[in-house]
Amino acid sequence: MPKNCPAPPPAFPSRRPREFAARLESRTGSTPLARLLLRAYLAGLPRGERFCDVGELLLGELFANAVQHSEAPPDRLIEVRFAVTGDRLRIEVHDAGAGRPSVRASSAEEEGGRGLFLVNELAERWGCCLRAGGVGKFVWALVAPAPGFTELAFGRAAGVVAV
């Protein structure tokens, strides 16, 4: 290497996103954007597709609940956070409201009210915590990989696949 030539920059290892956070407007129209962000996050992870369907559904329900039921001022943002830890996807939706969500019974005639029922049924676990600093809360859900997920379904070769 010539004496006056700087050394090449070190090679950057391929880094995959481990955590993601974004703040979105507190309006119904932000729900599809939140789901799109989750889909993009999962696309950057190896085998992230296995969380997509349930993850998007639960995120949509939690985000819509934050928009509809938070008594926070309308100019407050809603924060979404995603992380895959071990073999689980963790979804968090933060809002400035103080009310704690609860699963309620709804009749077949009601148009709404089933969001937390779905979260309760499809999430491995879920809960609600106060935010650090005492302003607002966040609702979280753990999503297990889709049952029956195989690498072959996504065009990847696998050593052995039991059918």
Side-chain angles (χ1 to χ4, degrees):
M1 177 179 274
K3 201 172 200 174
N4 294 336
C5 187
F12 293 101
S14 164
R15 298 209 185 250
R16 294 182 179 94
R18 295 291 178 224
E19 294 182 21
F20 177 84
R23 292 185 179 149
L24 307 172
E25 292 181 38
S26 180
R27 58 185 189 86
T28 340
S30 296
T31 305
L33 177 57
R35 289 193 306 257
L36 178 67
L37 291 171
L38 177 61
R39 195 174 320 126
Y41 168 77
L42 292 172
L45 295 175
R47 301 181 333 143
E49 309 90 4
R50 60 197 170 141
F51 300 108
C52 256
D53 292 338
V54 173
E56 283 185 53
L57 177 64
L58 297 186
L59 175 62
E61 295 298 337
L62 294 177
F63 195 92
N65 279 351
V67 169
Q68 185 176 6
H69 299 294
S70 173
E71 65 281 358
D75 64 338
R76 298 294 175 136
L77 299 176
I78 294 175
E79 182 174 27
V80 293
R81 294 183 187 182
F82 321 129
V84 173
T85 307
D87 204 23
R88 299 294 181 264
L89 167 66
R90 181 179 171 100
I91 297 170
E92 296 179 7
V93 177
H94 297 241
D95 67 62
R100 297 180 65 89
S102 61
V103 179
R104 66 180 182 92
S106 63
S107 68
E109 294 80 37
E110 291 181 88
E111 287 187 27
R114 292 180 192 84
L116 279 182
F117 174 78
L118 288 172
V119 171
N120 196 52
E121 292 298 309
L122 296 176
E124 186 174 86
R125 291 184 338 194
W126 72 278
C128 180
C129 301
L130 295 176
R131 294 182 71 193
V135 177
K137 67 174 175 313
F138 67 95
V139 180
W140 58 270
L142 285 181
V143 180
F149 178 87
T150 66
E151 300 286 349
L152 293 176
F154 296 96
R156 299 184 186 122
V160 177
V161 176
V163 180

